[in-house]
Amino acid sequence: MKDQELSPLMRQFQAVKAQHPEAIVFFRVGDFYEMFFEDAEEASKLLGIVLTARGKAKGESIPLCGVPYHTSTGYIAKLLKAGRIVALCEQVEDPKLAKGLVRREVVRVYTPGTLYDHELLPAREANFLSALYYTPFSSSENSTLADRFGLASLDLSTGEFWISESWMKHSRQGIVDELVRLEPKEVIFPAQLQEEMTSAFQSLPIARIVPRDAITFDLEASKTILTRIFLVNHI
């Protein structure tokens, strides 16, 4: 879609959406958070709200839905429970003082496993974000060993942090058992494990599954981050 076919407001929305393609963008317009195009179509179904339209693009109406900003928390919680990401795009200047289009910026990105807001958290439940990794093991001397799986889980709302490792013959099942125990809301894992772990993930009440490239799990980079966070010299 060419930019000149869109209004300035829609061009601004498209620029924000391009920076957060995986998220449903809550785009602040006055007293509402509005959603457009595919975001509007998906959100209207998940939230049970009316889908309307505003303006046109390529001769067709632009899908639109919206929620009042003062009641947005419940809608955000519902989208997160459905495993979606929400990017909150606010007006960052007074509309009365703006010269032309009001400036807007994303001030928060919500994902199911990174919540610390009391009003968004499930009552009396942990809210873990887990990261899964593995290293292959091969040995002609000991056939009872298999791949080593590691799991790190953090609840941002409480600071609770668990790590576990499983490296014997049934290492995969050991990690699945740990996931069952923790019931994380979001799991990050290497993309090359997606086929192997799909059935296990489907059997768990995980809101969001996030495959990532191997570089995300670089050992040295991870050590650097952890030593800085925990103020230690070695891990």
Side-chain angles (χ1 to χ4, degrees):
M1 184 181 301
K2 297 180 180 179
D3 281 351
Q4 57 265 34
E5 296 177 350
L6 300 173
S7 69
L9 184 71
M10 288 298 96
R11 289 200 296 270
Q12 189 182 53
F13 170 81
Q14 290 283 52
V16 172
K17 181 65 178 177
Q19 295 176 347
H20 301 275
E22 296 181 349
I24 292 177
V25 177
F26 270 41
F27 194 74
R28 182 71 177 269
V29 181
D31 290 336
F32 285 81
Y33 288 117
E34 297 187 349
M35 291 146 274
F36 303 98
F37 298 102
E38 294 85 357
D39 284 2
E41 293 173 338
E42 183 176 19
S44 66
K45 294 176 183 177
L46 292 172
L47 298 175
I49 58 178
V50 175
L51 181 68
T52 60
R54 172 185 291 168
K56 290 183 178 293
K58 292 186 176 180
E60 296 185 2
S61 297
I62 297 173
L64 159 71
C65 69
V67 298
Y69 82 94
H70 60 277
T71 61
S72 61
T73 300
Y75 294 106
I76 292 172
K78 193 170 184 178
L79 290 173
L80 294 172
K81 188 175 182 180
R84 302 306 190 269
I85 306 173
V86 176
L88 199 67
C89 185
E90 291 284 7
Q91 297 174 167
V92 293
E93 64 178 335
D94 188 335
K96 296 178 181 178
L97 302 177
K99 296 180 179 179
L101 192 63
V102 176
R103 189 161 56 91
R104 293 175 172 85
E105 294 178 1
V106 171
V107 298
R108 175 84 183 271
V109 176
Y110 297 91
T111 77
T114 59
L115 300 178
Y116 49 80
D117 318 72
H118 174 74
E119 63 273 17
L120 290 173
L121 289 166
R124 296 180 295 278
E125 287 184 24
N127 199 81
F128 282 109
L129 167 68
S130 293
L132 171 67
Y133 191 61
Y134 89 113
T135 54
F137 182 94
S138 60
S139 172
S140 58
E141 299 177 359
N142 193 339
S143 60
T144 63
L145 295 178
D147 295 346
R148 296 174 64 181
F149 283 82
L151 185 71
S153 301
L154 171 67
D155 186 335
L156 281 174
S157 66
T158 64
E160 188 175 357
F161 182 43
W162 291 86
I163 56 173
S164 59
E165 186 177 32
S166 182
W167 64 89
M168 298 306 288
K169 187 175 182 180
H170 301 293
S171 58
R172 178 180 176 277
Q173 186 57 48
I175 288 299
V176 171
D177 291 344
E178 185 70 355
L179 288 170
V180 169
R181 183 181 75 84
L182 294 173
E183 293 188 354
K185 299 298 185 291
E186 188 169 1
V187 177
I188 302 169
F189 66 100
Q192 64 264 34
L193 278 180
Q194 188 159 11
E195 183 175 348
E196 179 180 351
M197 297 299 294
T198 294
S199 60
F201 288 150
Q202 288 176 343
S203 67
L204 298 170
I206 302 171
R208 184 166 182 257
I209 307 299
V210 189
R212 285 287 184 260
D213 293 336
I215 190 64
T216 304
F217 304 89
D218 179 74
L219 179 60
E220 293 306 315
S222 300
K223 285 181 178 179
T224 299
I225 293 170
L226 289 174
T227 53
R228 185 173 67 247
I229 290 174
F230 291 110
L231 302 177
V232 295
N233 294 324
H234 304 285
I235 293 292

